[in-house]
Amino acid sequence: MIGGPGACRGIGAGDRVHVRGWIRTRRDSKAGLSFIQLHDGSCFDSVQAVVQSDLPNYADEVQRLTTGCSVEITGTVAESQGKGQSLEIHAESVQVVGWVDDPETYPVPAKRHTFEYLREVAHLRPRTNTFSAVARVRHSLSQAVHRWFHDNGYFWIHTPIITGSDCEGAGEMFRVSALDLANLPRTEDGEVDFSEDFFGRETNLTVSGQLNVEAYCLALSKVYTFGPTFRAENSNTSRHLAEFWMIEPEIAFADLSDDADLAEAFLKGIFETLLAERPDDMAFFRDRIDKGCIDRLEHFVSASFERMDYTDAIAALEAAVASGTKFDFPVSWGIDLQSEHERWLTEEHVGRPIVVMNYPKDIKAFYMRLNDDERTVAAMDVLAPGIGEIIGGAQREERLDVLDRRIAEMDLDVSDYWWYRDLRRYGTVPHAGFGLGFERTMAYATGMANVRDLIPFPRTPNTATF
RNA sequence: UCCCCUGUAGCUCAAUUGGUAGAGCGAGCGGCUGUUAACCGCUAGGUUGCUGGUUCGAGUCCAGCCGGGGGAGCCA
């Protein structure tokens, strides 16, 4: 049975098995037997072992087993007399591998816990059925990401984790330094002298692999990155982490419409795989976390995305205001959409994911391609009910003169972007890509409400215990 | 960073207007002829986050600090 998904397939009554795992519960019958519920994480279900009192260590050890103890059990598979499982193991030996040293204070006994509490015992929460299901879904979805890209001709590019600071556009960054903080080298005008630092310059943890992956896109045509990303923003919400995983594909000879097509095909592909590969875990999320999660995904893979121009989205919002919908923030062309606006569009207005395209240039990044109207850029956001923005993407500005103009307009230093500009000087082509937050995608798939419960060891402001 | 909520047994929560801190689960012990997060009985378990204040009296009211959560902004 041990050995991964499907390992218990083909096992039937009469087979001898050897199982190893952790006790979830023990139930005694003084008729002279105990029932042990054992899980090893290989799938959602645990297995029941029936232990007779004539085992030599029954009184001394078996009856002292509590939730969390690790054991090895050898026995024979048999049809179960009880309800709740078709097969069970009749134990011939139960060997205790590790005791729980104080059952009274074992942090995760077999009972309901709040997710907030379990975050404080993040090293033990994978033993609960919720967090082992999250871990398996995370694995399957990760594998599905790589498989989908591979099957569609994309190459996985490992973009750097440590980046030169001045090539990034977005967000607060975590500094990477080997300098002695108690004895910082200074320049003549008193600034920290980073030329003395390990890399001879300021460096930070990456906030996006996009600029780097564009370079590989303009050589390999279809590429993506999938790795950790870091933002030192003091964001305290259920949708933000200081360390999260991001998927960033980039396609050459492509425009914004191709980009939206890619986002749609990709999301449908990985959700189809998830539904096919993790039915047991998804059934758990449906039954215990979010009734609609499976229906939502099934609908998602069969329906087309709603696509809407920013300008039309604003018109729809203005019409809603005119007919009585109340928003805290006023709506007019040129604003960045607020969370409440995005939520209304995806939850109320269309009731499913929506791609909003062609935003005003003044609220978007310098690298996004300027549209012919000179007022908007070829940017898109994919909004999903319940979590808001899960994808932000754009067609990139491939024209060097326009790119330079945009860099100047935004008061950026053109010399910082010398290699990025080279990509426009040497065989430039239209290209596009997007960033997809992996934990937000998981939140959408499982119905789990907080991204802190979708990554094994979440990093948030003031929290990096594990 | 701002706004709101919150902190009581290992965990989840009660505690009337400010008047003797309680229950369920978990744990220990006992009972129960195959149980399903079993069931029945008994027992143990508390500096009510911390510091100060008001009061005859504070879990309850006030102030500050610390922790947790939700929302906003930023974004993915």
Side-chain angles (χ1 to χ4, degrees), chain A residues 92 191 293 301 414 464:
Chain A
E92 289 151 27
E191 302 289 311
C293 67
V301 301
V414 72

Side-chain angles (χ1 to χ4, degrees), chain A residues 398-415:
Chain A
E398 87 281 11
R399 300 161 297 186
L400 184 62
D401 57 328
V402 182
L403 182 70
D404 284 347
R405 210 169 83 213
R406 296 282 290 146
I407 287 174
E409 276 176 14
M410 299 210 168
D411 270 337
L412 300 169
D413 184 349
V414 72
S415 67

Side-chain angles (χ1 to χ4, degrees), chain A residues 115-147:
Chain A
F115 292 146
E116 291 79 12
Y117 166 71
L118 289 170
R119 280 171 216 150
E120 296 169 13
V121 288
H123 57 312
L124 295 170
R125 68 178 183 169
R127 297 187 183 193
T128 66
N129 50 21
T130 300
F131 286 90
S132 66
V134 166
R136 285 185 297 270
V137 165
R138 190 177 171 104
H139 164 83
S140 286
L141 219 39
S142 300
Q143 294 287 334
V145 166
H146 287 304
R147 205 175 315 139

Side-chain angles (χ1 to χ4, degrees), chain A residues 146-395:
Chain A
H146 287 304
R147 205 175 315 139
W148 191 91
F149 281 129
H150 176 79
D151 290 348
N152 286 276
Y154 287 71
F155 294 104
W156 181 18
I157 307 302
H158 296 150
T159 51
I161 303 296
I162 300 172
T163 60
S165 63
D166 28 26
C167 284
E168 305 289 349
E172 295 293 311
M173 292 180 277
F174 289 101
R175 169 161 288 132
V176 174
S177 175
L179 292 176
D180 178 1
L181 292 180
N183 189 19
L184 290 170
R186 301 281 178 177
T187 60
E188 283 178 9
D189 41 0
E191 302 289 311
V192 174
D193 184 2
F194 286 102
S195 70
E196 297 285 313
D197 206 344
F198 185 90
F199 295 105
R201 60 178 300 154
E202 282 190 76
T203 51
N204 293 287
L205 294 179
T206 182
V207 295
S208 165
Q210 181 204 314
L211 269 46
N212 295 286
V213 90
E214 278 188 54
Y216 272 72
C217 174
L218 298 183
L220 299 176
S221 299
K222 298 205 287 188
V223 298
Y224 71 104
T225 80
F226 181 15
T229 309
F230 309 87
R231 305 263 169 102
E233 277 149 10
N234 190 12
S235 296
N236 293 284
T237 83
S238 58
R239 307 179 306 283
H240 289 86
L241 294 163
E243 177 181 297
F244 64 100
W245 284 59
M246 189 153 65
I247 297 156
E248 295 174 284
E250 195 77 24
I251 43 178
F253 304 99
D255 62 15
L256 187 64
S257 176
D258 298 320
D259 203 26
D261 289 344
L262 169 59
E264 180 167 351
F266 168 75
L267 284 171
K268 286 180 175 177
I270 62 172
F271 288 151
E272 261 177 64
T273 301
L274 176 63
L275 288 168
E277 208 166 90
R278 296 253 73 92
D280 53 349
D281 292 316
M282 289 306 297
F284 168 79
F285 288 115
R286 178 196 61 208
D287 295 342
R288 296 298 183 89
I289 304 294
D290 176 6
K291 275 194 188 77
C293 67
I294 291 180
D295 288 346
R296 188 169 62 232
L297 288 185
E298 285 175 344
H299 184 249
F300 187 100
V301 301
S302 62
S304 64
F305 279 23
E306 180 78 13
R307 296 189 191 193
M308 185 179 284
D309 253 45
Y310 167 89
T311 300
D312 297 329
I314 291 293
L317 286 160
E318 285 176 330
V321 170
S323 60
T325 304
K326 294 269 184 279
F327 293 117
D328 291 337
F329 292 85
V331 176
S332 67
W333 198 96
I335 63 158
D336 205 354
L337 296 178
Q338 302 292 321
S339 289
E340 57 174 349
H341 304 143
E342 295 181 342
R343 192 170 301 151
W344 181 85
L345 285 169
T346 186
E347 292 171 10
E348 308 288 325
H349 191 52
V350 300
R352 58 199 162 94
I354 175 175
V355 189
V356 180
M357 308 167 84
N358 299 311
Y359 283 79
K361 66 171 182 174
D362 292 335
I363 58 173
K364 290 294 181 181
F366 75 94
Y367 54 73
M368 297 183 176
R369 191 179 194 278
L370 191 63
N371 287 323
D372 291 343
D373 62 13
E374 296 271 324
R375 304 168 70 211
T376 60
V377 290
M380 67 167 190
D381 283 350
V382 178
L383 314 176
I387 33 174
E389 186 181 340
I390 57 172
I391 283 180
Q395 183 176 346

